[in-house]
Amino acid sequence: MTALTASPLGITMGDAAGIGPEIIVRCFAQGLPAPAVVYGDAGTMRRAAALLGRNIEIIEIAGPEQARCAPGTIDVVTCSPALPASLAPGKVDAHAGRGAYDYLCAAIDDAMAGRLRAIVTAPLNKHSMHLAGIDQPGHTEILAERSGTADYAMMLANDELRVLLVTIHVALSQVPPLITPEAELRAIRLADRACRQMGMTQPRIAVAGLNPHAGEDGKFGREDIDVIAPAIAQARADGLDASGPWPGDTIFMRARRGEFDIVVAQYHDQGLIPVKYLGVDHGVNVTVGLPFVRTSVDHGTAFDIAWQGKADAESLMHAFNFALQMV
């Protein structure tokens, strides 16, 4: 069998106690539209295949350059100590947390070296990582730190909405001080960049206000007037089609109707609730600004149904196809 003519996509297994291994097996069994390798634990992947009754051969490899991506097989890059077979499903565990971190770091290194076309990530569990001594809020921050990326943002997308966040994993009380002209302008530029990666020539960017009614002319806070509006003006002066700040309770509806290509939201729940309300099965998480493409599922480890054969792989397949579109 000959080697691949193009680099594969890398899929990270995520937390072994969650649904990551199951949905990855389902995607391979269904058939992926491009070659891919898994960064994870071979033993766990074999147990997931057996759970689902899939006759898939798990092949351990040292790196993506060894992948053959043959039908009926899953190439697994071994990049962390083997996980214990006794790992409890649906429970936080330091071994699973360390493994999820190691898989991601190895995939980042290979993507930076050009050995992967893109990275698609299955969910990890922050508590499990913390038990392993890894003090990181989530995927996005690890990706940025490991790749040396200073300007980055989280974008959530589905067939109806694209939303990019100014602030990500911080307490709500910490959001207002982080809303600066520099942060706003950076997010607007990243939103423009993300849309252009998807083939749009002049993206229409709507910026959501921080306060109710976008501040109501300063009655409900001045951040929208003093910080967000000047950043939008600067973006427009730079040639970007940005507008706002618009009231957060209506802007997502307007974008869904087609008035805008992407919404810049000020904080995590403001932006993620509208996307997830439309269905997590179709949502894709994209880290914008990295030197490589990274997409992810729009759901967590789902410990409540993990290793019961119930997990739906639709979001992971959407994330894979979205990564292909962006590369």
Side-chain angles (χ1 to χ4, degrees):
M1 188 178 300
T2 58
L4 297 175
T5 57
S7 298
L9 281 74
I11 303 176
T12 60
M13 194 181 77
D15 193 294
I19 63 173
E22 294 174 68
I23 60 177
I24 291 172
V25 168
R26 288 191 188 278
C27 283
F28 274 89
Q30 179 181 334
L32 292 169
V37 298
V38 173
Y39 286 73
D41 180 72
T44 301
M45 292 301 299
R46 291 189 183 102
R47 289 189 286 276
L51 171 74
L52 299 175
R54 302 292 185 175
N55 185 24
I56 296 178
E57 182 183 4
I58 308 300
I59 302 172
E60 294 186 63
I61 58 176
E65 65 280 354
Q66 297 180 0
R68 294 297 182 266
C69 301
T73 69
I74 301 177
D75 294 297
V76 178
V77 178
T78 302
C79 48
S80 186
L83 295 176
S86 59
L87 194 73
K91 303 292 184 182
V92 294
D93 188 287
H95 294 96
R98 166 53 65 178
Y101 179 76
D102 289 346
Y103 312 147
L104 179 60
C105 289
I108 293 169
D109 293 345
D110 282 343
M112 292 289 289
R115 291 188 286 268
L116 295 175
R117 293 174 66 190
I119 298 175
V120 182
T121 60
L124 52 72
N125 183 278
K126 300 174 181 64
H127 189 184
S128 294
M129 283 202 310
H130 292 166
L131 288 178
I134 301 157
D135 187 21
Q136 288 280 15
H139 271 118
T140 305
E141 293 79 6
I142 299 170
L143 286 152
E145 180 181 282
R146 187 85 176 183
S147 66
T149 303
D151 292 339
Y152 63 93
M154 177 190 291
M155 180 179 76
L156 271 291
N158 56 29
D159 294 337
E160 301 180 75
L161 274 178
R162 300 176 194 90
V163 178
L164 185 138
L165 305 180
V166 178
T167 63
I168 307 177
H169 296 122
V170 297
L172 190 58
S173 60
Q174 297 174 11
V175 169
L178 296 174
I179 301 301
T180 64
E182 295 78 16
E184 293 295 321
L185 190 56
R186 179 171 59 248
I188 295 169
R189 288 171 174 162
L190 287 170
D192 181 79
R193 172 178 169 178
C195 288
R196 290 180 187 276
Q197 277 189 290
M198 290 180 279
M200 303 174 202
T201 56
Q202 189 64 34
R204 299 164 299 166
I205 306 163
V207 181
L210 172 66
N211 298 298
H213 302 179
E216 193 73 50
D217 295 323
K219 295 178 182 178
F220 306 141
R222 294 200 55 86
E223 291 92 348
D224 299 281
I225 295 174
D226 297 339
V227 180
I228 300 175
I232 295 170
Q234 182 60 57
R236 293 186 65 84
D238 293 342
L240 279 64
D241 186 358
S243 63
W246 301 106
D249 58 354
T250 55
I251 190 55
F252 300 99
M253 176 182 63
R254 294 175 61 188
R256 188 184 179 197
R257 288 198 305 239
E259 290 185 50
F260 305 102
D261 297 307
I262 189 167
V263 177
V264 172
Q266 300 302 321
Y267 54 93
H268 187 278
D269 285 10
Q270 183 188 51
L272 268 59
I273 288 174
V275 177
K276 293 192 175 186
Y277 181 77
L278 295 173
V280 296
D281 291 343
H282 294 83
V284 177
N285 183 335
V286 183
T287 306
V288 181
L290 299 172
F292 51 84
V293 169
R294 177 265 177 168
T295 65
S296 182
V297 295
D298 187 21
H299 58 70
T301 49
F303 277 172
D304 57 324
I305 62 168
W307 291 90
Q308 298 175 33
K310 299 177 180 179
D312 191 319
E314 189 171 2
S315 182
L316 183 61
M317 188 63 83
H318 276 289
F320 192 93
N321 289 330
F322 207 91
L324 276 182
Q325 178 186 350
M326 294 187 73
V327 299

